């Protein structure tokens, strides 16, 4: 009665950084295929791979110049077909990125569109005249710095781009654009892809009359310059919500497919991405854990707010890291905190998405300014916005190139390689990898964890305790967010099934939580 995307755990791969197979320092599809048994052993259920389509790589694949092929850096269509087959043979699902908001400026559609004002593809993008003084049509800002409008000298108009100038926004009000993009969706679904993570969905459609966005009273130096303005007329508009069920209809032409929406909106707005009758995305991403202080009270209150904001029957999901955010270990301040976060992520109600490398406790890698690759860091340097540090190569071993590449990796491998790699951690019961493997195995074995009800049992400044139940089975999760021990707030004798501090099953009764300890417990009788 539950779908695979409800029961399972999604593992996110940044393809440039997972496994290089040909020594060019860039991860690729044959590389991923060679590591599938690792993913089986880890115990995840679905793999989401960031864009692998032909791209000039201005935004490392989020600028697509051909929606129906594979970039040669990553391999071939035949490799993709083989990846699908090899995943399915192992009972794993494949989720690809669908990037509907923008193409690359090198996509033939945009090349045609910019050729002349009268080209049939002109209206596939968002072109507007300059103001009388030659300025852009309004004050809208690009996420990656500067105006969201770029002047085209040949045809003497501006085009709109929510991201880089090399990522012009498609005009989703044009029915021909919609049909073309729906056909792109069908192309990969028909090849056997199990679903999409839909990029930047909240930015799909803008206010057609182009009013200025108002200033953001909470903006301060140090924040992204794009946040100087509230995105009142550029994000989360009703016209965008109305298009989501259309995408869902395409996915539903096939069986058992999932759509995950990258909707970066407040908890209370997520319902618009599910649709009133759940006719929208099955899983609008919930990024709020990444924005909430890693403390018991704020997290408990977030869980309450999120659960309360879900539309009836809407399935929850949780994200703690991705290719746009600082890694857990660096963000939360240490290994103990990130181990605790693993227990949280994998025991909350709803589908978790796990970012590659977190399972071996990778942290952000320092990328020197001459090695910066991310266009955001290049455009808006020094504010810590750059995403290279969380996109560095997966560490398979302590060998040169970390077992990732025999060549020069596209981003640095970073320090602490001896300890933070798969080979070293594989047989160490106290390692990050063992903790994740045990957590994933327990989550899979226990319906209470993967589909059970959630109930808050206790929360104070130090710790949070909740219960997950399914039929007669009841498990408790106790998380100590502080650096001091505390008594386990429990009204009955409990024994640990798994702990961040002793990740093997112990029959022992527990009454104390160690600093930053996370435990999954069962009643003694
Ligand atoms: C969100 C993606 O996660 C990010 O990596 C990308 O730069 C933007 N969308 C633009 O596609
Ligand atoms: Ca390669």
């Amino acid at each position: 009665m539950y779908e695979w995307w409800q029961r399972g755990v999604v593992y996110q791969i940044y393809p440039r950084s997972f496994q290089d197979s040909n020594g060019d320092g860039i991860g690729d599809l044959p590389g991923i295929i060679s590591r599938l048994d690792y993913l089986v052993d880890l115990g995840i259920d679905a793999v989401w791979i960031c864009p692998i389509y032909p791209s000039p790589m201005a935004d490392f694949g989020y600028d697509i110049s051909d929606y129906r092929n594979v970039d040669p850096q990553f391999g071939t269509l035949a490799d993709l077909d083989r990846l699908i087959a090899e995943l399915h043979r192992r009972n794993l699902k494949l989720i690809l990125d669908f990037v509907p908001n923008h193409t690359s400026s090198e996509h033939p559609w945009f090349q045609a569109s910019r050729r002349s004002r009268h080209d049939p593809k002109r209206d596939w993008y968002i072109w507007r005249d300059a103001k009388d003084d030659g300025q852009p049509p309004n004050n809208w800002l690009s996420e990656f710095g500067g105006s969201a409008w770029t002047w085209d000298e040949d045809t003497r108009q501006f085009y709109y781009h929510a991201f880089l100038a090399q990522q012009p926004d498609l005009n989703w009000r044009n029915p021909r654009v919609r049909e073309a993009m729906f056909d792109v969706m069908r192309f990969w679904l028909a090849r056997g892809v199990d679903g999409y993570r839909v990029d930047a969905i909240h930015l799909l459609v803008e206010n057609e009359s182009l009013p200025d966005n108002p200033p953001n009273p909470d903006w301060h130096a140090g924040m992204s310059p794009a946040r100087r303005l509230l995105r009142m007329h550029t994000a989360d508009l009703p016209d965008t919500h109305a298009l989501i069920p259309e995408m869902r209809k395409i996915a539903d032409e096939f069986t058992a497919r999932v759509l995950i929406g990258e909707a970066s909106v407040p908890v209370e707005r997520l319902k618009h991405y599910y649709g009133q009758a759940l006719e929208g995305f099955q899983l609008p991403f919930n990024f709020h854990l990444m924005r909430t202080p890693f403390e018991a009270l704020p997290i408990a209150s977030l869980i309450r707010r999120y659960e309360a904001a879900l539309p009836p029957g809407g399935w929850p999901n949780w994200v703690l890291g991705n290719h746009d955010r600082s890694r857990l270990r660096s963000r939360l301040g240490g290994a103990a905190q990130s181990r605790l976060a693993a227990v949280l992520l994998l025991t909350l109600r709803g589908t978790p998405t796990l970012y590659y490398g977190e399972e071996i406790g990778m942290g952000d890698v320092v990328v020197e300014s001459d090695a910066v690759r991310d266009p955001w860091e290049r455009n808006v340097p020094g504010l810590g916005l750059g995403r290279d540090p969380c996109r560095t190569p997966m560490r398979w071993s302590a060998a040169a190139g970390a077992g990732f590449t025999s060549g020069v990796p596209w981003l640095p491998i970073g320090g602490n390689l001896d300890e933070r790699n798969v080979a070293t951690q594989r047989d160490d019961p106290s390692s990050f990898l063992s903790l994740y493997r045990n957590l994933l195995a327990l989550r899979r074995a226990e319906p209470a964890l993967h589909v059970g009800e959630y109930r808050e049992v206790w929360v104070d400044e130090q710790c949070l305790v909740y219960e997950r139940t399914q039929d007669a089975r009841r498990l408790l999760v106790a998380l100590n967010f502080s650096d001091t021990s505390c008594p386990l707030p429990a009204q009955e004798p409990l024994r640990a099934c798994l702990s961040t501090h002793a990740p093997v099953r112990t029959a022992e009764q527990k009454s104390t939580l160690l600093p930053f300890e996370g435990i999954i417990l069962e009643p003694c009788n």
Side-chain angles (χ1 to χ4, degrees):
M1 106 192 198
Y2 290 95
E3 305 283 344
W4 63 267
W5 49 265
Q6 296 177 298
R7 279 174 283 131
V9 175
V10 178
Y11 183 88
Q12 179 191 355
I13 290 179
Y14 196 67
R16 293 181 79 81
S17 292
F18 200 60
Q19 178 66 58
D20 175 22
S21 71
N22 61 355
D24 66 357
I26 297 170
D28 44 52
L29 295 178
I32 295 174
I33 294 171
S34 73
R35 294 296 187 182
L36 294 185
D37 290 333
Y38 167 78
L39 297 179
V40 171
D41 181 56
L42 179 60
I44 53 92
D45 302 275
V47 177
W48 154 37
I49 306 182
C50 287
I52 41 79
Y53 316 108
S55 165
M57 301 290 166
D59 189 21
F60 296 106
Y62 282 98
D63 49 320
I64 298 168
S65 51
D66 177 359
Y67 282 106
R68 295 162 182 255
N69 211 332
V70 170
D71 192 281
Q73 285 189 343
F74 294 128
T76 62
L77 260 182
D79 291 329
L80 200 279
D81 288 338
R82 195 156 61 88
L83 174 64
I84 295 173
E86 292 290 332
L87 281 164
H88 287 172
R89 198 160 68 76
R90 292 169 175 82
N91 232 342
L92 298 176
K93 304 288 186 183
L94 177 62
I95 298 166
L96 290 183
D97 243 279
F98 176 52
V99 184
N101 180 67
H102 45 269
T103 68
S104 160
S105 51
E106 292 183 27
H107 194 292
W109 296 343
F110 188 72
Q111 296 289 310
S113 187
R114 80 181 325 172
R115 204 169 296 141
S116 108
R117 290 197 187 196
H118 310 290
D119 191 278
K121 292 252 171 8
R122 185 65 169 183
D123 190 41
W124 281 45
Y125 294 83
I126 299 165
W127 293 96
R128 290 291 187 284
D129 291 338
K131 283 186 175 167
D132 291 345
D133 60 0
Q135 291 300 303
N138 63 22
N139 70 351
W140 294 355
L141 296 173
S142 153
E143 290 296 312
F144 292 151
S147 170
W149 297 95
T150 288
W151 178 249
D152 180 61
E153 190 50 44
D154 291 343
T155 58
R156 305 199 59 78
Q157 276 189 317
F158 282 98
Y159 66 87
Y160 174 70
H161 48 89
F163 296 94
L164 298 174
Q166 297 96 315
Q167 294 167 294
D169 270 49
L170 281 164
N171 175 16
W172 273 78
R173 297 186 193 277
N174 182 333
R176 278 179 295 277
V177 168
R178 296 202 292 271
E179 272 318 309
M181 291 303 279
F182 293 155
D183 276 345
V184 168
M185 290 181 76
R186 292 187 183 100
F187 179 81
W188 298 100
L189 293 170
R191 280 193 117 84
V193 167
D194 300 287
Y196 290 112
R197 175 266 192 192
V198 184
D199 185 66
I201 187 64
H202 53 301
L203 303 180
L204 198 63
V205 183
E206 301 74 38
N207 185 324
E208 245 184 324
S209 42
L210 309 189
D212 274 357
N213 272 330
N216 174 5
D218 297 328
W219 185 85
H220 56 81
M223 278 169 77
S224 165
R227 291 288 87 76
R228 276 174 183 270
L229 303 179
L230 297 173
R231 292 180 290 181
M232 184 181 282
H233 303 295
T234 43
D236 195 22
L237 299 189
D239 289 343
T240 290
H241 307 151
L243 285 165
I244 296 169
E246 305 291 309
M247 291 184 185
R248 174 65 181 276
K249 276 185 209 144
I250 309 303
D252 285 351
E253 291 172 11
F254 303 80
T255 46
R257 310 302 161 102
V258 71
L259 293 183
I260 305 175
E262 194 217 2
S264 204
V265 297
V267 166
E268 287 72 21
R269 306 282 309 158
L270 284 169
K271 59 175 184 282
H272 299 290
Y273 296 80
Y274 282 95
Q276 291 216 318
L278 303 184
E279 74 280 30
F281 293 140
Q282 290 103 324
L283 301 174
F285 261 149
N286 164 15
F287 291 142
H288 294 277
L289 267 184
M290 298 194 286
R291 305 195 177 110
T292 303
F294 196 64
E295 296 163 20
L297 288 168
I299 287 179
S301 116
L302 167 67
I303 299 168
R304 263 181 254 132
R305 267 179 62 210
Y306 177 62
E307 287 273 355
L310 288 172
W315 190 252
N317 77 89
W318 296 93
V319 179
L320 256 174
N322 63 31
H323 63 295
D324 295 326
R325 297 300 180 105
S326 189
R327 283 190 178 274
L328 280 178
R329 187 180 199 128
S330 307
R331 182 151 38 94
L332 305 183
Q337 290 89 326
S338 46
R339 292 173 70 98
L340 179 65
V343 180
L344 175 69
L345 177 69
L346 295 172
T347 59
L348 283 173
R349 189 176 86 89
T351 308
T353 301
L354 165 61
Y355 186 49
Y356 85 96
E358 292 295 340
E359 76 276 24
I360 53 168
M362 278 172 66
D364 288 346
V365 171
V366 176
V367 177
E368 301 300 338
S369 51
D370 56 355
V372 166
R373 308 294 299 265
D374 183 11
W376 198 1
E377 180 68 31
R378 290 187 175 195
N379 287 357
V380 192
L383 295 177
L385 299 170
R387 300 162 295 175
D388 292 330
C390 69
R391 295 175 173 180
T392 59
M394 180 66 178
R395 293 136 158 257
W396 299 101
S397 74
F404 162 73
T405 183
S406 57
V408 180
W410 79 287
L411 280 175
I413 303 283
N416 303 97
L417 184 58
D418 284 350
E419 159 236 338
R420 289 180 212 167
N421 72 76
V422 171
T424 305
Q425 295 190 16
R426 189 178 288 130
D427 301 317
D428 172 1
S430 67
S431 68
F432 261 92
L433 186 53
S434 297
L435 172 65
Y436 269 93
R437 251 204 251 116
N438 293 338
L439 272 168
L440 287 160
L442 188 63
R443 185 185 164 94
R444 179 175 289 173
E446 293 280 359
L449 289 180
H450 57 255
V451 294
E453 295 297 315
Y454 168 93
R455 190 174 73 85
E456 184 184 303
V457 172
W458 176 271
V459 64
D460 60 25
E461 303 237 304
Q462 248 186 318
C463 66
L464 167 64
V465 181
Y466 50 84
E467 185 175 86
R468 302 292 316 277
T469 48
Q470 174 74 0
D471 300 327
R473 181 65 164 156
R474 186 160 62 91
L475 293 172
L476 281 104
V477 181
L479 310 167
N480 178 0
F481 288 85
S482 79
D483 59 4
T484 53
S485 298
C486 64
L488 178 67
Q491 300 184 334
E492 61 192 313
L494 297 168
R495 67 173 163 251
C497 303
L498 183 154
S499 158
T500 44
H501 289 47
V504 276
R505 196 184 171 95
T506 58
E508 187 197 335
Q509 197 172 317
K510 284 287 287 189
S511 55
T512 307
L513 284 172
L514 297 171
F516 298 116
E517 187 173 21
I519 329 183
I520 303 172
L521 305 130
E522 60 188 356
C524 280
N525 348 313

